[in-house]
Amino acid sequence: MTKTIYGNIIKSKTNNDVSQFLNSKPVFSIYNPENEAENFCKIITHSEKNFFVTTGMAQAYHIFALQKHFPDSKILILEKYIEDFYKNEFSKTYNKLKQNSNIIFSTVDTLEQDLIDNYLPATDGDFIYRSLRSWIAQNNDLEKIINTKINNALKIIKDDYSVQSHL
């Protein structure tokens, strides 16, 4: 049996696909997911180049909006299960995203190492963790784990950067 947190796909009022979680709650707005994604990107940052970590892919409205507003930034997309990136319903989205070398696919299990392997503060800019509220609400048992893994990875990165700077 394939592991997944996603269920059916419905249409929004603007006729866009919107995934539902297994409990039938929508991942994105059922009214206008593209407008919701634009609001998601209203981030106070002093840099055009950042390293974003965000939760959930599905139709990736929020990820495409981040790419539009921060084209030189890296974006790590976090899912609970690796299988959720490869679902047939998301194959077009996944294939489009994987063409961008600034996109990193990660799971909660691999998050810490993926951050260590991919985030270089000197070249990648500010670190910004921005989760989809719907994804965190669906996976609230993972929020503390995600924050712990992020903090552990950032400490390792900072310590390594400090050593390299000293040398």
Side-chain angles (χ1 to χ4, degrees):
M1 187 172 144
T2 303
K3 296 178 184 178
T4 187
I5 62 169
Y6 299 105
N8 296 322
I9 294 176
I10 58 174
K11 290 288 186 185
S12 70
K13 302 289 183 197
T14 54
N15 205 34
N16 293 345
D17 286 347
V18 173
S19 289
Q20 294 178 304
F21 293 109
L22 291 174
N23 65 1
S24 298
K25 292 189 178 184
V27 177
F28 302 106
S29 167
I30 59 172
Y31 297 100
N32 189 337
E34 291 173 331
N35 187 53
E36 178 187 45
E38 287 297 318
N39 289 332
F40 180 86
C41 289
K42 291 182 179 172
I43 299 166
I44 298 171
T45 181
H46 302 290
S47 173
E48 289 184 19
K49 189 172 186 179
N50 302 285
F51 188 99
F52 291 101
V53 173
T54 189
T55 54
M57 184 182 78
Q59 288 78 25
Y61 296 111
H62 60 312
I63 298 161
F64 291 124
L66 283 172
Q67 285 181 312
K68 182 177 96 180
H69 291 283
F70 304 95
D72 296 326
S73 295
K74 287 185 180 177
I75 304 169
L76 184 144
I77 307 166
L78 184 63
E79 280 290 3
K80 184 173 183 176
Y81 303 115
I82 193 75
E83 292 89 349
D84 284 328
F85 291 117
Y86 311 121
K87 285 183 62 121
N88 283 340
E89 298 89 342
F90 307 146
S91 62
K92 280 185 179 178
T93 302
Y94 173 76
N95 287 329
K96 187 172 182 179
L97 289 170
K98 78 175 184 176
Q99 292 175 12
N100 185 327
S101 61
N102 285 337
I103 298 291
I104 302 141
F105 300 94
S106 183
T107 64
V108 175
D109 290 339
T110 64
L111 174 61
E112 191 171 331
Q113 191 61 51
D114 289 338
L115 286 173
I116 292 166
D117 292 345
N118 290 286
Y119 178 47
L120 301 169
T123 58
D124 295 332
D126 295 336
F127 180 91
I128 299 171
Y129 171 51
R130 186 111 161 102
S131 63
L132 281 176
R133 282 184 282 178
S134 62
W135 196 95
I136 285 296
Q138 183 68 26
N139 298 286
N140 61 3
D141 58 317
L142 297 177
E143 188 169 25
K144 186 175 181 180
I145 295 167
I146 291 168
N147 285 317
T148 298
K149 288 185 175 217
I150 287 172
N151 288 331
N152 289 346
L154 291 177
K155 182 181 182 329
I156 290 168
I157 292 165
K158 178 184 171 207
D159 291 348
D160 186 46
Y161 185 74
S162 296
V163 168
Q164 289 179 17
S165 293
H166 180 70
L167 296 175

